[in-house]
Amino acid sequence: MFYAILAYHVEDAIKALTPREDAALMADLLKINDRLYADDSLGPSARLGATQSAVTLRGPGDGTVIDGPFAETKEQLLGLYVVDCATRDDAIAIARDLRRVNPTAVYEIRPIALYLPGVPLQGK
C-alpha cells in the first residue's frame, strides 16, 4: 500500500538554517531517500517552495484565490514523501527515521488511494 508522509515544520526555523546546516540536514535526509529507493519503497518526494509563494483556492463556484496556505497551525507543510509499504507500521518506521535526522519536524502518515476509476494503484 502507498502512504504519504507529509513533513510539517515551522518554516522560519528552516529558513534560519545556515546554508551549511541546511546542506547537512538534506544530506541526512537523502541517505534515507537512497535507502528507500534501493528497497524500491520510495515514490515521489519533494521539498516544497516557500509558503509565501503559495495560494489557496476555496469557496463556492470557481472559488476565490487567496494568498498563502491558511492552515491554522504553527507548522507549515514543507515536503512530502510517497512510500510503498506492506503495513502502516512500516510507513511509521520510515517517518521515525526521517524524524531522527530532523527531530523538530512533524510527520503525518496517510494511506493513498488512487482516484482513477478502474485503474489500480500498484505497489508491493
Side-chain angles (χ1 to χ4, degrees):
M1 167 164 263
F2 286 90
Y3 291 87
I5 299 177
L6 307 175
Y8 292 87
H9 209 290
V10 176
E11 188 171 21
D12 287 340
I14 295 299
K15 289 177 6 183
L17 294 175
T18 67
R20 186 175 178 185
E21 291 168 331
D22 186 60
L25 173 60
M26 291 308 296
D28 287 342
L29 291 171
L30 287 172
K31 288 176 190 173
I32 296 170
N33 283 21
D34 290 344
R35 177 179 53 87
L36 296 174
Y37 183 78
D39 292 346
D40 200 28
S41 297
L42 183 64
S45 59
R47 189 178 202 185
L48 300 177
T51 57
Q52 61 263 38
S53 64
V55 296
T56 299
L57 177 66
R58 66 172 58 201
D62 286 342
T64 302
V65 176
I66 305 166
D67 287 340
F70 281 96
E72 297 296 326
T73 65
K74 289 176 22 178
E75 298 92 10
Q76 292 79 34
L77 177 62
L78 299 185
L80 62 98
Y81 299 83
V82 174
V83 294
D84 186 7
C85 298
T87 67
R88 184 179 78 161
D89 287 341
D90 293 339
I92 291 169
I94 291 168
R96 284 189 170 129
D97 287 342
L98 295 167
R99 188 167 166 78
R100 274 191 264 293
V101 300
N102 195 4
T104 56
V106 174
Y107 293 95
E108 178 181 341
I109 298 96
R110 288 193 196 178
I112 297 174
L114 183 64
Y115 184 69
L116 292 175
V119 179
L121 187 62
Q122 296 298 318
K124 291 182 179 178

